[in-house]
Amino acid sequence: MTRTSTRPPLAATPLPIALVVSAAVLLAMMLLSIAAGSVTVSVADTGRVILAHLSGKTPDVGFTVDQIVWNYRLPRVILAALCGCGLAVAGVILQALVNNPLADPYVLGLSSGASLGAVTVIVTAGGVLGGVGVSTAAFCGAVATIAVVFLLGQQRGTLVPTRLVLAGVAVGYLLLAATNYLQLRATPNELRAVLFWTMGSVAGASWDRLGPVTVVVLVTVAVVLAFGRRLNVLGTGDEQATALGVDVRTLRIILLVSASLLTGVLIAAAGGIGFVGLMIPHLVRLAFGLDHRRVLPLSALIGAAYLVAVDLLSRTVDAPNELPLGIFTAAFGAPFFLWLLRRNGGLT
């Protein structure tokens, strides 16, 4: 875990107040993101459309505005929020699980496995299977990868954090090589689809595809929130945690499955979006302290607001063109990663 010599500036803030403020920021960011775009819609009209649909009434706005808000922008903003929430929580889990502050959902090779599954479908089946087939293949690739990494990460039946990370890195590079080979065989059109998917986008969000992702993220995050105290205990070391009554092996399996499920589902829905799981948990710890009972819920809300803001940038910086999310998350996350390395003595 990241240790600081001074007390975090917001550590004394009561958790309910921090949660309310974070939720308000998320809501404001979502409304702004829905209203802004190539066609500007007022926040008031945005609110009318959403309230009308939720109450089963006909929106008192034009048909075009209704379609833009309800059928196009609201699903993608919700998907962006879910991705930010889930990836940030997965980052908290993995950093605690392997006791490595530089870990994130991609360190275990999940991204490489999902990419290989998606690229295989794009290159070998072309447009025959469509987006659903690509997402399903990506999810299967992520799940198969974590199963292999989990088996390789064990020593005499015990999950070893360092071994788990090394296995993830090795498997990830192997799968990346296979993905690169498939890209060499792709046609120009297929290669464009591959590149856009691997860099992440929520442009394909729709109400029909949003349901399963919402259920998985909300249920998994809710379950993980109950493990905040045990994550604190796990940080004291396996022997100490066992002495305090924590079943370390079972806890690690539950957390690993939760992180894998979150990452696999979100990569399948939105492609590769890096650095969220690395950056957000550290920002929250720097501001609010190391207690996982605070870090988990605040990372979920702040991660959601962060990716909603990134999605807004992706649609407006080069409008009417749309840029992949990965460009912005890398632009913000890579400098943060280097600063984090220096802060922890990694470059000295």
Short mmCIF file of all heavy atoms in Angstrom, two decimals, residues 87-110:
data_model
loop_
_atom_site.label_atom_id
_atom_site.label_comp_id
_atom_site.label_asym_id
_atom_site.label_seq_id
_atom_site.Cartn_x
_atom_site.Cartn_y
_atom_site.Cartn_z
N LEU A 87 -13.88 -0.83 -12.57
CA LEU A 87 -12.42 -0.92 -12.72
C LEU A 87 -11.69 -0.34 -11.52
O LEU A 87 -10.64 -0.87 -11.11
CB LEU A 87 -11.99 -0.19 -14.01
CG LEU A 87 -12.44 -0.84 -15.32
CD1 LEU A 87 -12.08 0.03 -16.51
CD2 LEU A 87 -11.83 -2.24 -15.48
N ALA A 88 -12.23 0.73 -10.93
CA ALA A 88 -11.59 1.30 -9.74
C ALA A 88 -11.66 0.33 -8.56
O ALA A 88 -10.67 0.14 -7.84
CB ALA A 88 -12.27 2.62 -9.37
N VAL A 89 -12.82 -0.29 -8.37
CA VAL A 89 -12.96 -1.26 -7.27
C VAL A 89 -12.07 -2.48 -7.52
O VAL A 89 -11.44 -3.00 -6.59
CB VAL A 89 -14.44 -1.68 -7.12
CG1 VAL A 89 -14.57 -2.86 -6.17
CG2 VAL A 89 -15.26 -0.50 -6.61
N ALA A 90 -12.00 -2.93 -8.77
CA ALA A 90 -11.12 -4.06 -9.09
C ALA A 90 -9.67 -3.71 -8.79
O ALA A 90 -8.89 -4.55 -8.32
CB ALA A 90 -11.28 -4.45 -10.56
N GLY A 91 -9.29 -2.45 -9.05
CA GLY A 91 -7.93 -2.02 -8.72
C GLY A 91 -7.66 -2.06 -7.23
O GLY A 91 -6.60 -2.50 -6.79
N VAL A 92 -8.62 -1.60 -6.42
CA VAL A 92 -8.47 -1.66 -4.96
C VAL A 92 -8.28 -3.10 -4.51
O VAL A 92 -7.40 -3.41 -3.70
CB VAL A 92 -9.70 -1.05 -4.26
CG1 VAL A 92 -9.58 -1.22 -2.76
CG2 VAL A 92 -9.84 0.43 -4.61
N ILE A 93 -9.09 -3.98 -5.06
CA ILE A 93 -9.03 -5.40 -4.67
C ILE A 93 -7.66 -5.99 -4.98
O ILE A 93 -7.02 -6.62 -4.13
CB ILE A 93 -10.12 -6.21 -5.40
CG1 ILE A 93 -11.51 -5.75 -4.96
CG2 ILE A 93 -9.95 -7.70 -5.14
CD1 ILE A 93 -12.63 -6.37 -5.79
N LEU A 94 -7.20 -5.79 -6.22
CA LEU A 94 -5.95 -6.43 -6.64
C LEU A 94 -4.74 -5.87 -5.91
O LEU A 94 -3.81 -6.60 -5.58
CB LEU A 94 -5.78 -6.29 -8.15
CG LEU A 94 -6.78 -7.10 -8.98
CD1 LEU A 94 -6.60 -6.83 -10.45
CD2 LEU A 94 -6.60 -8.60 -8.71
N GLN A 95 -4.75 -4.56 -5.65
CA GLN A 95 -3.62 -3.97 -4.92
C GLN A 95 -3.55 -4.51 -3.50
O GLN A 95 -2.47 -4.73 -2.95
CB GLN A 95 -3.74 -2.44 -4.93
CG GLN A 95 -3.41 -1.84 -6.29
CD GLN A 95 -3.96 -0.46 -6.49
OE1 GLN A 95 -4.28 0.23 -5.53
NE2 GLN A 95 -4.09 -0.03 -7.74
N ALA A 96 -4.70 -4.75 -2.89
CA ALA A 96 -4.72 -5.34 -1.56
C ALA A 96 -4.39 -6.83 -1.62
O ALA A 96 -3.70 -7.37 -0.75
CB ALA A 96 -6.09 -5.13 -0.93
N LEU A 97 -4.86 -7.48 -2.67
CA LEU A 97 -4.69 -8.92 -2.80
C LEU A 97 -3.22 -9.32 -2.97
O LEU A 97 -2.75 -10.28 -2.35
CB LEU A 97 -5.50 -9.42 -4.00
CG LEU A 97 -5.62 -10.92 -4.20
CD1 LEU A 97 -6.40 -11.55 -3.07
CD2 LEU A 97 -6.30 -11.20 -5.53
N VAL A 98 -2.51 -8.59 -3.81
CA VAL A 98 -1.10 -8.94 -4.08
C VAL A 98 -0.15 -8.05 -3.30
O VAL A 98 1.06 -8.16 -3.45
CB VAL A 98 -0.79 -8.85 -5.59
CG1 VAL A 98 -1.69 -9.77 -6.37
CG2 VAL A 98 -0.93 -7.43 -6.09
N ASN A 99 -0.71 -7.15 -2.48
CA ASN A 99 0.10 -6.24 -1.65
C ASN A 99 1.11 -5.49 -2.50
O ASN A 99 2.29 -5.38 -2.16
CB ASN A 99 0.82 -7.03 -0.55
CG ASN A 99 1.32 -6.11 0.56
OD1 ASN A 99 0.76 -5.03 0.78
ND2 ASN A 99 2.37 -6.52 1.25
N ASN A 100 0.64 -5.00 -3.64
CA ASN A 100 1.49 -4.28 -4.58
C ASN A 100 0.76 -3.02 -5.03
O ASN A 100 -0.29 -3.10 -5.67
CB ASN A 100 1.80 -5.17 -5.79
CG ASN A 100 2.82 -4.54 -6.72
OD1 ASN A 100 2.94 -3.32 -6.80
ND2 ASN A 100 3.56 -5.37 -7.43
N PRO A 101 1.30 -1.83 -4.70
CA PRO A 101 0.58 -0.59 -5.05
C PRO A 101 0.53 -0.30 -6.53
O PRO A 101 -0.21 0.59 -6.95
CB PRO A 101 1.40 0.49 -4.30
CG PRO A 101 2.76 -0.09 -4.17
CD PRO A 101 2.56 -1.56 -3.99
N LEU A 102 1.31 -1.02 -7.35
CA LEU A 102 1.32 -0.77 -8.78
C LEU A 102 0.45 -1.76 -9.55
O LEU A 102 0.42 -1.75 -10.78
CB LEU A 102 2.75 -0.83 -9.32
CG LEU A 102 3.73 0.17 -8.67
CD1 LEU A 102 5.10 0.06 -9.32
CD2 LEU A 102 3.21 1.59 -8.77
N ALA A 103 -0.27 -2.61 -8.83
CA ALA A 103 -1.13 -3.58 -9.51
C ALA A 103 -2.41 -2.91 -9.98
O ALA A 103 -2.90 -1.97 -9.36
CB ALA A 103 -1.46 -4.73 -8.55
N ASP A 104 -2.95 -3.41 -11.08
CA ASP A 104 -4.26 -2.97 -11.54
C ASP A 104 -4.90 -4.14 -12.28
O ASP A 104 -4.30 -5.20 -12.41
CB ASP A 104 -4.15 -1.69 -12.38
CG ASP A 104 -3.76 -1.96 -13.82
OD1 ASP A 104 -3.26 -3.07 -14.11
OD2 ASP A 104 -3.95 -1.07 -14.66
N PRO A 105 -6.15 -4.02 -12.72
CA PRO A 105 -6.84 -5.17 -13.31
C PRO A 105 -6.13 -5.80 -14.50
O PRO A 105 -6.45 -6.92 -14.88
CB PRO A 105 -8.18 -4.57 -13.73
CG PRO A 105 -8.41 -3.46 -12.78
CD PRO A 105 -7.05 -2.87 -12.56
N TYR A 106 -5.16 -5.10 -15.10
CA TYR A 106 -4.51 -5.62 -16.29
C TYR A 106 -3.25 -6.39 -15.99
O TYR A 106 -2.68 -7.02 -16.86
CB TYR A 106 -4.23 -4.48 -17.26
CG TYR A 106 -5.51 -3.86 -17.73
CD1 TYR A 106 -6.14 -2.87 -16.99
CD2 TYR A 106 -6.14 -4.30 -18.89
CE1 TYR A 106 -7.35 -2.31 -17.40
CE2 TYR A 106 -7.33 -3.76 -19.30
CZ TYR A 106 -7.93 -2.77 -18.56
OH TYR A 106 -9.12 -2.24 -18.95
N VAL A 107 -2.80 -6.33 -14.73
CA VAL A 107 -1.53 -6.97 -14.39
C VAL A 107 -1.64 -8.49 -14.43
O VAL A 107 -0.64 -9.18 -14.58
CB VAL A 107 -1.05 -6.50 -13.00
CG1 VAL A 107 -1.84 -7.17 -11.90
CG2 VAL A 107 0.44 -6.77 -12.82
N LEU A 108 -2.85 -9.01 -14.28
CA LEU A 108 -3.03 -10.46 -14.30
C LEU A 108 -3.32 -11.02 -15.68
O LEU A 108 -3.71 -12.18 -15.81
CB LEU A 108 -4.15 -10.86 -13.32
CG LEU A 108 -3.88 -10.50 -11.86
CD1 LEU A 108 -5.03 -10.98 -10.98
CD2 LEU A 108 -2.58 -11.10 -11.39
N GLY A 109 -3.17 -10.19 -16.71
CA GLY A 109 -3.34 -10.68 -18.08
C GLY A 109 -4.78 -10.70 -18.55
O GLY A 109 -5.07 -11.20 -19.65
N LEU A 110 -5.70 -10.14 -17.76
CA LEU A 110 -7.11 -10.16 -18.15
C LEU A 110 -7.34 -9.41 -19.46
O LEU A 110 -8.09 -9.86 -20.32
CB LEU A 110 -7.97 -9.54 -17.04
CG LEU A 110 -8.13 -10.37 -15.78
CD1 LEU A 110 -8.80 -9.55 -14.69
CD2 LEU A 110 -8.93 -11.62 -16.07
#
